[in-house]
Amino acid sequence: MSVFDEARPIFWQIAERIEGDILDGALPEEGQVPSTNEIAAFYRINPATAAKGVNLLVDEGLLYKRRGIGMFVAPGARAIVLAKRRGQFYRQYVQPVAAEARKLGIGVAELTELLHRSAVEHEGTPAP
């Protein structure tokens, strides 16, 4: 089984994994990011592919380079990733669920109750 989704470019997936590490705190702001060679060796990919993923994050302002030292997580990067991922969550999950609920005649109150019930069943605690 491959570590990567073959349907999407590997460099995007590398960028998403680094974003995930920023989001969950594994890569804190001002923390050093593994080098492209380290990323390439870990995932057994071409260093140019790893660099392309890292450069996407540099272009988005999530990472910056300290000459001669390496790449670091930019201040405010977690907030940027959080906003980006929330937007993706809304488009990928919330909008389709809301559209299907409308088709089924499920109103906002009932949909809210269903989400609450799901949170309780799967997490054991009510959603905030």
Side-chain angles (χ1 to χ4, degrees):
M1 180 174 146
S2 175
V3 184
F4 295 104
D5 173 3
E6 294 180 21
R8 298 178 315 120
I10 292 173
F11 69 92
W12 278 349
Q13 294 176 66
I14 292 295
E16 288 171 349
R17 288 177 187 198
I18 294 171
E19 282 182 348
D21 287 344
I22 292 170
L23 196 56
D24 69 18
L27 287 174
E29 292 179 6
E30 297 294 345
Q32 189 166 10
V33 177
S35 72
T36 55
N37 287 333
E38 290 170 328
I39 294 168
F42 183 80
Y43 290 112
R44 296 182 180 183
I45 60 172
N46 187 311
T49 301
K52 195 170 179 180
V54 168
N55 287 333
L56 282 176
L57 301 178
V58 170
D59 292 345
E60 291 181 23
L62 300 175
L63 303 179
Y64 68 93
K65 184 175 184 173
R66 287 187 187 164
R67 189 178 176 116
I69 300 175
M71 288 289 184
F72 290 80
V73 178
R78 187 177 187 284
I80 294 169
V81 173
L82 188 58
K84 177 181 172 181
R85 294 277 180 99
R86 284 182 174 201
Q88 289 170 339
F89 177 80
Y90 177 74
R91 289 185 302 279
Q92 187 175 356
Y93 299 104
V94 176
Q95 286 181 328
V97 165
E100 185 66 16
R102 279 190 299 278
K103 288 179 191 175
L104 298 173
I106 297 172
V108 173
E110 186 178 358
L111 182 57
T112 301
E113 174 54 35
L114 290 170
L115 288 170
H116 180 74
R117 184 173 60 179
S118 178
V120 170
E121 288 172 359
H122 295 288
E123 297 173 14
T125 58

